[in-house]
Amino acid sequence: TPAKQGKAASPAAAAGSGSGDKLNASVTAQGELVRKLKADKAGKPEVDEAVKKLLALKAEFKSATGQDWKPGMTITKAAAAPAGGSADAINAATAAQGDLVRKLKTEKAAKPEIDAAVKKLLALKAEYKAATGSDWKPGAAPAPTAVAPAGGAGDALSAAVAAQGDLVRKLKTEKAAKPDVDEAVKKLLALKGEYKAATGSDWKPGAAPAPAKQPSPVKESAGQKDGPNSELSAKVEAQGGLVRQLKGDKKPKEEIDAAVKQLLALKAEFKAATGTDWQPAGGAAKKPEKQKKAAKEVKPKEKPKAPEAGVTRLGLEVAKEENLADWYSQVLTKAEMLEYYDVSGCYILRPWSYSIWESIKDFFDAEIKKLGVTNCYFPIFVSHAALEREKDHIADFAPEVAWVTKSGDSDLAEPIAIRPTSETVMYPAYAKWIQSYRDLPIKLNQWNNVVRWEFKHPQPFLRTREFLWQEGHTAFATFPEAKEEVMTILDLYRRVYEELLAIPVVRGKKTEKEKFAGGDYTTTVEAYISAAGRAIQGATSHHLGQNFSKMFDITFESPQTGEKEFVYQNSWGITTRTIGVLVMVHGDNNGLVLPPRVACLQVVIVPCGITNNLKDEDRNALYNECELYEKELKEAGVRVKADLRENYSPGWKYNHWELKGVPIRVEVGPRDMKNSQYVAVRRDNLEKLTMKKSGLKDDIPALLETIQTAMFAKAKNEMTERVKVVTKFEDFLDGLENKCLLQAPFCGVEACEDQIKELSKKDSDLEPGAPSMGAKSLCIPFTQPAQVVDNDKCIRPGCCNKPLFYTMFGRSY
């Protein structure tokens, strides 16, 4: 029909007719109209309609000219379209549809509307790939349409796999229901199996599909890849992929058994049809032989990994730089920091780690008491009604709330929550206690435990279902008082990390997206773990404004007006996560490295040079000397222990105390006694120093301070080297892959932040082994790396909003 012919007209023809100039004028006029409507603060429907028309005109312009529209541009004559040049039109349509999807997400349009637009975008991308043989990329000139090889169904399958992969990523991004995601993944695996059956090779992103494998005449009779049996083979491959996925996801046994049963049935059907067992692509008759041979080789390698009952290995068996997760787990258990428990996500804190928490607690408790804060205790249980009082606040914690539903065999009349935090527990009492301005300020703190039933993979200290913390809750008559306390507390948290734990932190304010639910703003200290290339939130101090006081009716009578006014509130907390951060930042391949100020034991004294030839009186004299050293150091205020155990050798003791991270090891032998000297070994750098006994009381405390300072300087240097300032997104991505924290100009819009996270992550379904975590905002540093100027742009590609500040982004725990 004439209408269809019009649509099929090449871009070159359109441009040649001068329509590009007309479209340019139309886009310019429509852009001016949009600006005018926004300036006049017209109604949202009217502005949206004008923007929609503007985007449509821009897409039409690109389709006609092959160029993105830019203000003041000159129209270049479009090149003649090659044979099959519809790729140009598809390219333009894809770009326009992408603009529409971004616009809908930014405006937080209805989900069905966004889904429909995304579905159309994925279809266009698949169409583009089918036409050109390559994935669509923004700004890329479309490749000429590839000539389909014999059996070129691989092209269509490759496009279908790519489109389905896009859909899987979209569903994961939108946190769709698990059945929807599973169904999409199942279809993706089936398509990959079909692709492999058609081409003989695994599907890889961006790879041109291999020509269909031509079966030899002999193999044709077997029918594995021929005729109707090729479809059956693809079904077996897809079902096998599904079984592997279900096992990997640790699905219920019944679900896995059903999938395995179906797989076996398909294999039996294949054998009945072909007379041969089903073999994966590339399978050969010699495979069973290889399996047997491999099994013989694997067995002796794996055997040593399972220690016999009662055997404990002292040293670490994995290097920090090779496998951080295994190293971390081994350090915690072998250094006697914690013990695993039979409830997932809960751990036993042994004295060696709990003493660190006590050091933090002693310091912080003394400092907040100087500010007039007093300690108290509120119940661990929260009624359902109290929890529901503050909807925005509890929505953030809802998936993590643990509920008590039974007492013995009886169901409770109403479920009772275990506190994830104590705002809703404490504030009804505040409403009773505060009546007059004379009752203010109220400054209370709790040292307690909370439960957050994390669904993510638990990690000791860093992400646990139960943890210890302090939570301060204060109320003031005026905002300036509350604001001042927020910063005072934040500085105390900085001091905990920098002065006690020797860990540098960046102080800043959380973005609107990352702030505490229900609060006005959140301030934070962010630490950096160089081995992982990730940041970790150290502690937070929140200003709640009057949000909670209005919800719980916490008011006082103003002395000036006699009117009821709502109080201004803060809450702030630090947790046992600090211990995990300490281990990650300072530990090495010999074990823990403890900063002297929080070490349970600062010095261990080990007698050495003990042999079978040493006389008993000499041995006793050496032990007495060690006990004398211990006494003198205790008098100097040093936490010290003389290890006089006779059933362990000096070498064993050296390794043991190095693994536990004791800052200084003092070695004393018969020769040292004669020379009135000792050897001090620093744990942080393993340096050995020969020192005179006469200076013991002064030299050891001074050396402990030197070690504390050196550990902070080393960690500070590691962080400084990895904090980069970037203004281009390609530099942002490069920095992220190089384990950097990135300070970049940012507009602060939540939708923009979501897109930065999406654009900077990879999908492990399509690129196995790739880091799937995108960059999130960590904080808006109080110390800005530069002033935002007029020509700065938001780091998110395509963002038209003016950046407000530099924000620090990075991968994070």
Side-chain angles (χ1 to χ4, degrees), residues 412-432:
L412 295 181
E414 182 184 61
I416 297 172
I418 300 174
R419 64 176 168 227
T421 179
S422 295
E423 280 79 3
T424 55
V425 182
M426 298 173 74
Y427 295 167
Y430 279 34
K432 290 181 184 177

Side-chain angles (χ1 to χ4, degrees), residues 643-657:
D643 188 350
L644 306 180
R645 292 175 291 175
E646 294 189 335
N647 55 329
Y648 294 109
S649 68
W652 188 96
K653 293 175 184 178
Y654 295 168
N655 290 330
H656 175 71
W657 294 113

Side-chain angles (χ1 to χ4, degrees), residues 4 135 139 159 195 203 230 250 257 264 307 309 390 433 496 678 783:
K4 283 183 181 176
D135 287 318
Y195 177 89
W203 185 87
S230 63
K250 296 183 179 174
D257 288 348
L264 293 173
E390 220 300 321
W433 299 340
V496 167
Y678 61 92
T783 304

Side-chain angles (χ1 to χ4, degrees), residues 565-811:
E565 292 188 12
F566 292 102
V567 300
Y568 292 87
Q569 291 176 268
N570 296 333
S571 68
W572 26 272
I574 191 170
T575 79
T576 41
R577 170 181 275 200
T578 47
I579 301 170
V581 178
L582 180 153
V583 175
M584 286 275 207
V585 170
H586 294 308
D588 62 20
N589 289 331
N590 291 327
L592 283 177
V593 182
L594 294 178
R597 290 179 189 166
V598 293
C600 172
L601 202 57
Q602 295 173 316
V603 177
V604 63
I605 302 165
V606 179
C608 54
I610 300 172
T611 65
N612 291 331
N613 299 326
L614 193 67
K615 295 177 183 178
D616 284 347
E617 57 265 30
D618 292 336
R619 183 192 299 262
N620 291 333
L622 180 58
Y623 286 168
N624 290 337
E625 183 77 355
C626 289
E627 287 173 343
L628 187 62
Y629 273 74
E630 183 182 37
K631 183 183 175 185
E632 286 192 31
L633 286 172
K634 281 182 177 176
E635 289 171 357
V638 175
R639 297 186 290 277
V640 59
K641 175 180 180 175
D643 188 350
L644 306 180
R645 292 175 291 175
E646 294 189 335
N647 55 329
Y648 294 109
S649 68
W652 188 96
K653 293 175 184 178
Y654 295 168
N655 290 330
H656 175 71
W657 294 113
E658 275 183 12
L659 180 60
K660 289 177 76 72
V662 175
I664 297 175
R665 181 175 75 243
V666 168
E667 300 172 4
V668 182
R671 187 182 300 171
D672 296 313
M673 285 176 61
K674 289 176 185 175
N675 296 328
S676 296
Q677 66 182 32
Y678 61 92
V679 175
V681 184
R682 289 174 55 165
R683 176 62 186 90
D684 64 318
N685 60 12
L686 303 179
E687 181 186 3
K688 291 191 173 186
L689 304 165
T690 301
M691 307 177 84
K692 288 294 180 184
K693 179 185 174 183
S694 57
L696 182 72
K697 286 187 175 182
D698 295 325
D699 293 343
I700 291 296
L703 184 58
L704 288 168
E705 282 304 303
T706 300
I707 292 170
Q708 182 85 23
T709 304
M711 288 178 68
F712 178 76
K714 180 174 179 284
K716 178 79 172 174
N717 186 54
E718 286 176 350
M719 177 188 251
T720 303
E721 284 181 351
R722 295 292 180 179
V723 176
K724 306 290 182 188
V725 179
V726 295
T727 54
K728 294 179 180 177
F729 198 66
E730 54 265 35
D731 296 335
F732 184 98
L733 294 177
D734 288 344
L736 200 62
E737 294 312 305
N738 289 321
K739 298 184 174 182
C740 293
L741 303 181
L742 305 152
Q743 297 189 355
F746 177 53
C747 66
V749 174
E750 288 187 43
C752 213
E753 193 168 330
D754 288 336
Q755 288 178 40
I756 290 170
K757 190 172 184 178
E758 281 305 306
L759 291 169
S760 59
K761 78 177 182 183
K762 297 178 181 178
D763 196 310
S764 55
D765 278 340
L766 299 182
E767 296 179 66
S772 59
M773 182 184 292
K776 62 178 281 189
S777 71
L778 305 171
C779 70
I780 303 156
F782 290 139
T783 304
Q784 289 279 290
Q787 199 70 30
V788 174
V789 294
D790 288 342
N791 59 349
D792 281 338
K793 293 183 179 178
C794 174
I795 193 65
R796 201 265 293 173
C799 177
C800 300
N801 300 315
K802 180 175 171 55
L804 304 176
F805 31 63
Y806 276 81
T807 299
M808 189 163 76
F809 290 87
R811 293 195 171 110

Side-chain angles (χ1 to χ4, degrees), residues 434-506:
I434 300 169
Q435 301 297 326
S436 161
Y437 72 93
R438 294 184 184 88
D439 300 322
L440 294 170
I442 186 168
K443 300 181 179 182
L444 297 182
N445 177 67
Q446 294 193 88
W447 293 95
N448 61 13
N449 63 335
V450 290
V451 173
R452 295 180 186 173
W453 212 256
E454 295 271 8
F455 288 99
K456 295 179 183 176
H457 180 62
Q459 288 179 286
F461 295 115
L462 303 180
R463 186 181 291 283
T464 61
R465 286 178 168 170
E466 180 192 13
F467 56 86
L468 303 179
W469 73 343
Q470 62 70 216
E471 51 175 326
H473 295 271
T474 55
F476 300 88
T478 65
F479 170 66
E481 291 175 278
K483 180 182 177 184
E484 182 182 357
E485 189 205 54
V486 167
M487 297 307 294
T488 302
I489 295 296
L490 191 71
D491 196 57
L492 287 180
Y493 290 147
R494 176 197 63 78
R495 290 179 61 194
V496 167
Y497 275 94
E498 296 192 345
E499 295 178 15
L500 269 64
L501 306 180
I503 297 171
V505 291
V506 176

